[in-house]
Amino acid sequence: MAGDGIVDGPEHTEAETRWVAPEKQELHWENWGKQHALYDARSGETHLLAEQTARVLQQLVACPGTAREVMEALCSESGECCDEQSLEHSARLLRQLHNVGLIEKADT
Amino acid sequence: MNLAELPGEALARRLEGKGILLQTGPFTVRIHSRVEGFTQQFRRFYASFPVVSEPAIADFHVRLIMPGGIRRRWRPQVLLLLDGQEVFLPYPLSHAFPLFEWGLNWAIAMQAHQYLMLHSAAVETAGKVMLLPAWPGSGKSTLCAALVSRGWRLFSDEFGLVRIDDGLLVPLPRPTPLKNKSIDVIREFAPGLEFGPAFHGTRKGTVAHLRTPDASVAQAHITAPPGWLVFPRYQAGVPLSLKPIARPQAFLKLANNSFNYQLLGLHGFQAVTRLVRHCDCYILSYSDLDEAIIKLNQLTDT
Amino acid sequence: MMANRKNGYRGTGILLTALREPGRMMGFEPGEWDLLLRVARHTRLLGRLAVIVDEAGEMEQLPASVRDHFKAARVFVTHYQRTARWEINRILAALEGDDVPLVLLKGGAYILAGLPPSRGRLLSDVDLLVPRELLDSFEQTLLAHGWESVKLEEYDQRYYRTWMHELPPLSHPERGLEVDIHHTISPLTSRLNPDPEKLFRDSISLADKRLRVLQPVDMVLHSAVHLFHDGEFINGLRDLVDLADLFQHFGKHADFWEKLVGRARSQGLLRPLFYALRYTKRLLAAELPDSVVAAAGEGAPSGPILRLMDNLIEAVMIPEHPDFPRRRRAAAQWLLYVRSHWLRMPPGMLLQHLARKKIMRWRQRKTIARTSAQGSR
């Protein structure tokens, strides 16, 4: 079982990296309020995700994009305003999702 | 036919010849043995279990043999073959019965992937099952034996067998092995229970088995839905507490407790999330058995 | 037929019967099922039978306990196939777009190319063919992404690298599946010497363009080399079933057969092709064009050797009764192992290697017995 608290590696993700998520039917969700369990049918792994991480992933499933695009989509959805800090935050969550094999860089 | 209906001589002959086909829960086990002393203990613990008539398909093939060679003279041993394969080192001859019990558990855990298998005791009351998932040392068997002595139906002391298709629990009643101090704890708690001999110096220390209640054996074909998930934690001196736990936590604990969660893939995920969804989930910390049983009875009465 | 000898069901021709004529399973008595399930499990073919029955739509007519065994067997198959797919996915992710021609071999190829041998097939590792000049950098890439060399004794490491056609296996500690990286399909020192360049040149890309498989004739020839020249007959019957499936599947195209013999000749692989044809026909009743069998006869060994091989192959391929193991099988397995190394190594090294191997196996057995006893409960 892989948690979502894994610290990312030293590499720096360029802002222009486009991220893609697996096909929707590969991901099976169980939702308990602010906690989510996610079964990835490709890897057979189960991940426990916090609310924010789950939203980032769900946004990517709906539409691949860069950290900025993901953040803007989530902000417009929730009506929050975006700043550099939230951009950094979403970039970090994306790196974490990448580290556990849930998302990939596009065109690789 | 029950094992008890087979005269002693006939049982020994069958065990030495084509084997006995024993029914335990959903499984049919073919058992061969040429080991002195095993027959009698086997008969005692499995008296009320059904014997399947030939011809039949056995799910497991267990054979106890005495390896030859020079060691046989000064330190007689017993070897267990599962489907013809040696999986354990030999045991001292006098430990043939616990070896058989462990061997069969091991075989089930390795093979019965048509179920989600939890490492859990399971007991039923009022048509619903309480699962007590725990790794060794947490007092699961003791608690299970205590509840059964107070009228709960024994599903299993070792396996929570969850059917994948409908999420129902499947009984697998077998003798309950108690270890070390819990033997005396249960003797004191429920003086009427029938214990087998104590086996000293096993890998788990001293082990003594409780006979399976006849009623549990007779109802071994009756499945039931899960009602409660209680993670027991025995710790000397702690005050009793029964704390509800959040579903994500229960999910994690249960998935980690399963023998085959990973192997079952999506079916495992669905089975565990379904259990967590349908059960009230608690952690039980206890040191006094009486208090714990009262508490659990209250929980299920309400 | 050698499979249906008198000891028939007492012995274990029953599995060959089930594989050759799956319809016969529907008429099996409980005692026959009991034996079939055991033997199929031992030979890792239980999942295969489950899929055959399922495909025929006959699962519901089987006794409930048989259905349960088949269900459990399919759980294993699904798990291992998913694990293999994911391992390949992770390898591609590690390459980050680097253009390394990765040719999948054996189980991994059957599964990702969706070929018939993948039905119900278990696999315990992923085999890849990589051009020799890229071997080092590919290995470095995987090591940099967390794969580790599977712990082997130093002797084995040297043996793999010097004499075998592969790097010592790698595995990722979070996943544990072994990745075997080959740069050709037979050992460097083997008397067989197929040209790996040709294999790459004629390989075929899959829907995912980063992955390739051998072209049909090469896939068959590789499967044959692996079965008859690698010395591991543990999954012998399963590997023979692979070959029979491939013959049946690719054989629908007339030019396959023509090309097969030609390719075997030009790659110097007529001997393994001869064996593949001979034993899929004898044991699994594969339907093969007479002309092809005749043409491959060119690869046959001399009469006495052939009779010996017939005996050995029969002894290792026809599974033994679990309760009545035959010493003959173990002996045959050992002889075939020795033979494969004879084919692979200069004779001086051979004796040295076999002696080491025996000692290490013996040590290993002891450790396994110890750990499994400790792991029990």
Side-chain angles (χ1 to χ4, degrees), chain A residues 18-80:
Chain A
R18 289 184 68 76
W19 297 101
V20 280
E23 300 286 324
K24 196 172 178 205
Q25 67 271 15
E26 305 282 9
L27 302 179
H28 301 261
W29 297 87
E30 178 78 3
N31 175 3
W32 303 288
K34 295 216 169 287
Q35 288 267 22
H36 303 256
L38 170 65
Y39 175 78
D40 181 354
R42 304 165 313 150
S43 65
E45 287 291 338
T46 305
H47 305 272
L48 281 189
L49 303 181
E51 177 69 6
Q52 283 282 335
T53 322
R55 284 180 59 202
V56 166
L57 180 57
Q58 281 157 349
Q59 174 57 36
L60 273 188
V61 171
C63 177
T66 63
R68 181 173 295 277
E69 287 162 353
V70 169
M71 178 201 60
E72 282 169 359
L74 292 180
C75 288
S76 76
E77 193 182 282
S78 63
E80 295 157 29

Side-chain angles (χ1 to χ4, degrees), chain C residues 26 49-51 53-54 56-63 66-67 70-71 74:
Chain C
M26 292 302 124
L49 294 182
V51 172
V53 171
D54 228 3
E58 281 162 331
M59 195 60 94
E60 290 309 309
Q61 287 149 53
L62 295 180
V66 175
R67 287 205 303 269
F70 280 165
K71 254 190 231 168
R74 294 199 73 164

Side-chain angles (χ1 to χ4, degrees), chain B residues 58-59 61 83 87-88 102, chain C residues 34 38 42 69 372 376-377:
Chain B
D59 300 300
H61 299 78
D83 207 4
V87 261
F88 308 115
W102 281 322
Chain C
D34 186 281
R38 299 176 72 184
H42 280 245
H69 283 267
S372 68
S376 67
R377 74 185 118 248

Side-chain angles (χ1 to χ4, degrees), chain B residues 223-235:
Chain B
T223 58
W228 307 271
L229 266 172
V230 176
F231 296 92
R233 198 188 281 160
Y234 170 83
Q235 209 184 331

Side-chain angles (χ1 to χ4, degrees), chain C residues 96-355:
Chain C
E96 291 178 347
D98 278 3
D99 197 16
V100 179
L102 285 186
V103 179
L104 300 169
L105 299 173
K106 297 191 281 189
Y110 306 146
I111 291 165
L112 272 96
L115 291 167
S118 68
R119 294 175 302 164
R121 193 184 191 279
L122 288 172
L123 74 178
S124 52
D125 48 23
V126 166
D127 291 276
L128 296 169
L129 187 66
V130 174
R132 197 168 185 187
E133 63 275 14
L134 297 178
L135 214 55
D136 282 342
S137 69
F138 181 58
E139 187 186 22
Q140 289 311 316
T141 304
L142 294 192
L143 290 174
H145 283 82
W147 276 265
E148 292 169 0
S149 223
V150 171
K151 297 255 179 309
L152 298 170
E153 287 199 25
E154 198 196 332
Y155 173 80
D156 269 346
Q157 281 268 1
R158 211 171 49 216
Y159 167 74
Y160 263 101
R161 287 182 189 271
T162 320
W163 299 106
M164 291 288 288
H165 45 130
E166 51 190 83
L167 295 171
L170 300 178
S171 88
H172 196 289
E174 283 168 21
R175 299 186 295 272
L177 193 75
E178 276 190 13
V179 181
D180 290 339
I181 306 164
H182 312 248
H183 55 82
T184 182
I185 59 168
S186 71
L188 279 183
T189 53
S190 146
R191 296 174 196 182
L192 304 175
N193 202 12
D195 178 2
E197 295 247 330
K198 287 190 193 165
L199 299 177
F200 282 108
R201 198 188 56 213
D202 297 327
S203 64
I204 298 168
S205 72
L206 296 178
D208 182 335
K209 297 283 176 238
R210 298 169 296 177
L211 295 172
R212 310 184 70 81
V213 295
L214 297 174
Q215 65 163 337
V217 288
D218 288 339
M219 194 182 281
V220 166
L221 291 172
H222 171 240
S223 182
V225 169
H226 167 67
L227 174 53
F228 296 105
H229 293 264
D230 262 7
E232 296 287 344
F233 282 84
I234 298 159
N235 296 317
L237 187 57
R238 198 271 317 269
D239 293 350
L240 198 69
V241 169
D242 286 349
L243 274 167
D245 273 357
L246 294 176
F247 283 140
Q248 205 210 350
H249 180 72
F250 293 134
K252 289 179 229 153
H253 306 282
D255 63 334
F256 166 79
W257 294 111
E258 229 164 85
K259 230 174 135 186
L260 181 62
V261 179
R263 185 70 156 189
R265 192 176 291 122
S266 71
Q267 288 278 51
L269 299 176
L270 276 170
R271 174 70 52 90
L273 176 61
F274 169 79
Y275 286 142
L277 295 166
R278 181 177 183 85
Y279 298 117
T280 50
K281 193 174 168 71
R282 285 170 74 107
L283 295 171
L284 297 169
E287 284 175 30
L288 309 167
D290 293 338
S291 59
V292 175
V293 175
E298 225 181 288
S302 68
I305 300 269
L306 182 56
R307 278 192 294 282
L308 176 65
M309 272 302 273
D310 282 353
N311 279 314
L312 294 179
I313 292 291
E314 184 193 347
V316 296
M317 295 278 183
I318 301 180
E320 57 202 343
H321 191 297
D323 290 335
F324 309 100
R326 296 167 297 181
R327 276 172 202 279
R328 183 168 157 249
R329 180 189 178 84
Q333 225 156 25
W334 177 245
L335 279 174
L336 284 167
Y337 182 76
V338 172
R339 164 186 164 277
S340 76
H341 284 268
W342 174 254
L343 296 172
R344 175 184 294 174
M345 290 174 130
M349 263 197 75
L350 175 68
L351 287 177
Q352 211 189 326
H353 172 73
L354 292 175

Side-chain angles (χ1 to χ4, degrees), chain A residues 39-45, chain B residues 261-267, chain C residues 75-88 111 123 177:
Chain A
Y39 175 78
D40 181 354
R42 304 165 313 150
S43 65
E45 287 291 338
Chain B
Y261 173 80
Q262 196 79 19
L263 202 59
L264 285 169
L266 181 58
H267 290 309
Chain C
V75 165
F76 269 110
V77 170
T78 311
H79 172 78
Y80 283 104
Q81 294 203 357
R82 177 180 59 233
T83 309
R85 279 177 187 277
W86 183 241
E87 195 66 23
I88 293 164
I111 291 165
L123 74 178
L177 193 75

